[in-house]
Amino acid sequence: MRRLDHTETTRAERWLLHAYWLASGYGLRASRALAWLLLAMCTTVVLTLGLGLPDRSPHDTVTGSLPRDGGQVTLEVDTPSPELTLPVDERFTSERLEKTLRIVLNSVIFRSSGQQLTLWGTYIEMVSRFTEPVFLGLAVLAMRGRIKRG
């Protein structure tokens, strides 16, 4: 009832309790937390597919020169920044969807995939790497609580 108490709880605490209730029913609804996780993952897939996955993976370019007198070799490695120039209707293909699903699943459950993403893709992945494990944790806690009570 603290979320309904407007006299002793701060606005931030009430907001946090509302979010906790909405996300997992105070840790009692694993299905609600899993539904939010699925929704967040689907949103991440669509946003990454549309904005974050570059046209192709950038390849390192190595240039250098070999001195005639047999001196030291100097090489410069340049990795171009990933770009997304595909028209919108060509961004949503099965090949790009499969690649995006691997990236999103890696970022939720494991660690970063190491895939070069556009600037938008990098920000999308950062937000998803914070929010989606929270929903996964809430679901695990709700299941743990249900098992302990049962």
Side-chain angles (χ1 to χ4, degrees), residues 40-88:
M41 288 175 66
C42 289
T43 303
T44 303
V45 166
V46 170
L47 288 174
T48 304
L49 194 58
L51 299 172
L53 198 61
D55 297 343
R56 56 187 152 7
S57 297
H59 299 287
D60 293 339
T61 304
V62 178
T63 57
S65 58
L66 184 61
R68 293 182 186 196
D69 61 355
Q72 184 177 359
V73 176
T74 304
L75 297 175
E76 293 180 24
V77 179
D78 183 32
T79 303
S81 60
E83 294 179 352
L84 179 60
T85 58
L86 289 174
V88 174

Side-chain angles (χ1 to χ4, degrees), residues 113-132:
S113 63
Q115 169 70 38
Q116 290 284 336
L117 299 173
T118 62
L119 181 64
W120 279 99
T122 303
Y123 287 126
I124 291 166
E125 185 182 31
M126 287 186 330
V127 169
S128 73
R129 285 180 54 104
F130 174 74
T131 56
E132 292 166 5

Side-chain angles (χ1 to χ4, degrees), residues 91-102:
R91 294 179 188 179
F92 298 93
T93 63
S94 60
E95 180 182 315
R96 287 174 56 88
L97 177 64
E98 188 267 331
K99 191 174 189 178
T100 303
L101 284 173
R102 279 188 285 123

